[in-house]
Structure formats: structure tokens, C-alpha cells
Amino acid sequence: MREKEIEERLRKAVKQAGGKAYKFISPGNAGVPDRLVVMPGGRIGFVELKAPGRSPTPLQRARMRELESLGCCVRSLDGPGKIPEAIAAICRPGVGLHLGKQEGEA
């Protein structure tokens, strides 16, 4: 499965849950997460998408930590299996960075 396919599944799942998953591009700020997810109730989070088995680059991890330090919910996904948890985390108050093992890692 390619990153683009995971991104499309995320977009569809967020839409089904009543939210929006905007493509996030910030000129002059390399390494920002791929999607800005906005859920009902004003819950906002960021999602970095990777191909299966891939992890965020050091720059991407740094950007994710910056956003988390501002109180944002940030998730990294390398497969569709983590999409429901990422959406749930964005909908929960007080949930921040999650840079643990990626789906498929031992």
C-alpha cells in the first residue's frame, strides 16, 4: 500500500466521522505534517502519513514535537489500521504527540 492510498483512506474516514482532512502545505516550513484534521467540536490535529514500514524523518519529528509543545494532537500513520485511533485521539481533549512504534514495527 502506498502513502497516497493511506492518505485517501484517512480523508474518507475523517469525512465519515463528520470532519475535514485538509492537505497541509506551509511554504518555507519544511517537514510539517501532511494533513490538518478538523473534527466537530473544534478539535484539531495533525497527521503525518508514511508508506508502510517508513517513519518520519528527523525534521518531521522535530516539527511534530513543536506542534505538540503548543498543545496540538499529532499522529504519524504508516498504515490504515491506525486511522480510527488517530481520529479518536484528535477528538479527545488533552491528547498530544504519539511518536511510538509505527504499525508493522516489531
Side-chain angles (χ1 to χ4, degrees):
M1 177 172 282
R2 296 178 4 209
E3 180 179 319
K4 184 176 181 176
E5 294 168 299
I6 298 166
E7 189 169 23
E8 182 62 19
R9 287 189 185 192
L10 171 69
R11 192 190 62 72
K12 286 180 180 178
V14 168
K15 182 178 180 181
Q16 185 176 20
K20 298 279 188 177
Y22 297 104
K23 184 73 173 173
F24 184 49
I25 301 170
S26 182
N29 294 293
V32 297
D34 297 306
R35 290 281 171 163
L36 171 63
V37 176
V38 181
M39 298 301 293
R43 302 298 307 160
I44 298 173
F46 295 86
V47 179
E48 175 60 38
L49 295 136
K50 304 306 284 182
R54 303 291 302 255
S55 296
T57 66
L59 177 59
Q60 288 170 329
R61 285 182 174 269
R63 294 290 190 208
M64 292 168 78
R65 282 190 295 273
E66 286 175 358
L67 290 166
E68 191 273 335
S69 73
L70 295 169
C72 297
C73 179
V74 183
R75 290 289 183 271
S76 176
L77 303 176
D78 75 340
K82 298 284 184 172
I83 291 172
E85 187 278 331
I87 292 171
I90 291 167
C91 292
R92 283 192 308 269
V95 177
L97 186 66
H98 178 71
L99 291 174
K101 289 185 179 182
Q102 302 294 305
E103 184 174 279
E105 286 185 344

